[in-house]
Amino acid sequence: MLLSQARDLTAKIGDYTRLKANAGAAKEFETRARQFADAADKLQDARETIKRMRKAGIEVNFTPKDGKALMDKAAALRATLENDPAKLNDPPFNLKYDFTDRLYGICSAADEVVLAAWKAHVAANSETAPSDVLTALGAVPQYKPVVARIGTIKTQIETLGNRLPQNPEAGLTLLTTLMASYRTAWAEMTADGVPPAVIGFLRAAAAGGAPLNQLTDEVREWLEGRKLLHVFRIKI
């Protein structure tokens, strides 16, 4: 409704071609028309973006702030144009601060809400190992190549989540592909299982050193079985 009001204002201003005889008046009306057209375009973009997100199955909860008040202002401006177009240059309120800037504000707020919804959706559907665990595993020569591949995929997922795609459905398809690649790489590295105790030990070692009590029999056997025990040293 608000978008149609803004579009209607732009169209009605364009109808007053008879004012072109007055160069000064024509210039002022052209300025108003540009202001309304730009605001209407941005509203249109915001609406289409929200529609694409919802079509992709991503819920976007957004209610324009002061939407009703702005609709009333748009209706008042339209009535002014119909009754006396010249009064558009002396409106009952500040067109910039009380109307067009508010419309731009709605568009900016919509962009923020949409991006937040996209980030939340990607985060909820892209569980990956913590960076410190990958760093620890990457310190083990046997795992270094696959950890590097996992790290690259993880970065791609993070980049995807931080930037709203033009086509959300395509973005979700890419996310599915990346997660499949991630799981394949992780399964390759942990095909025979990485016990939680080992993960904890590797995390602590990567963070500056694991206490000796974390080098349990289970961890030691796991490392020895993969000829990795020599990679770690006891520091006194």
Side-chain angles (χ1 to χ4, degrees):
M1 187 65 175
L2 182 56
L3 175 59
S4 63
Q5 294 271 26
R7 288 287 188 205
D8 192 43
L9 282 171
T10 304
K12 287 186 177 299
I13 290 176
D15 290 340
Y16 292 105
T17 54
R18 60 187 176 80
L19 292 175
K20 290 183 179 179
N22 185 324
K27 185 174 180 61
E28 291 178 351
F29 271 82
E30 288 173 1
T31 298
R32 299 300 187 203
R34 284 196 300 271
Q35 290 176 332
F36 293 144
D38 185 58
D41 287 342
K42 291 186 183 303
L43 281 173
Q44 174 76 18
D45 290 344
R47 185 177 70 172
E48 291 302 315
T49 298
I50 291 174
K51 285 174 62 178
R52 287 194 296 270
M53 289 281 282
R54 289 174 175 165
K55 183 180 178 183
I58 303 173
E59 186 58 35
V60 178
N61 296 313
F62 177 71
T63 301
K65 183 179 180 181
D66 300 328
K68 178 61 168 61
L70 287 170
M71 286 175 57
D72 291 343
K73 284 184 170 63
L77 288 173
R78 184 172 60 183
T80 295
L81 279 169
E82 292 174 345
N83 296 326
D84 185 0
K87 287 186 177 180
L88 183 63
N89 292 319
D90 185 25
F93 51 84
N94 189 301
L95 280 179
K96 173 175 171 56
Y97 297 105
D98 295 332
F99 190 64
T100 55
D101 280 0
R102 297 290 181 88
L103 295 180
Y104 293 141
I106 286 177
C107 297
S108 295
D111 289 343
E112 291 177 2
V113 170
V114 168
L115 180 57
W118 172 253
K119 286 183 176 181
H121 189 87
V122 171
N125 292 275
S126 60
E127 182 177 354
T128 58
S131 296
D132 55 354
V133 172
L134 292 177
T135 299
L137 291 172
V140 180
Q142 178 181 340
Y143 293 145
K144 191 170 184 179
V146 69
V147 167
R149 192 161 79 250
I150 289 174
T152 297
I153 298 170
K154 182 179 172 71
T155 298
Q156 291 175 323
I157 293 173
E158 291 171 349
T159 299
L160 177 64
N162 288 327
R163 184 182 305 136
L164 183 69
Q166 182 65 26
N167 184 339
E169 289 182 320
L172 293 180
T173 298
L174 176 57
L175 177 61
T176 298
T177 300
L178 289 172
M179 283 306 303
S181 298
Y182 181 91
R183 293 188 183 102
T184 297
W186 184 263
E188 178 184 325
M189 182 175 63
T190 61
D192 57 346
V194 180
V198 175
I199 291 294
F201 175 82
L202 293 174
R203 181 191 293 116
L212 278 176
N213 61 8
Q214 278 195 269
L215 186 60
T216 62
D217 290 341
E218 179 185 22
V219 172
R220 185 182 182 86
E221 289 174 5
W222 190 89
L223 294 172
E224 286 181 334
R226 290 155 185 78
K227 295 181 171 48
L228 299 175
L229 189 59
H230 72 280
V231 174
F232 302 92
R233 295 288 184 270
I234 297 176
K235 293 182 180 179
I236 298 176

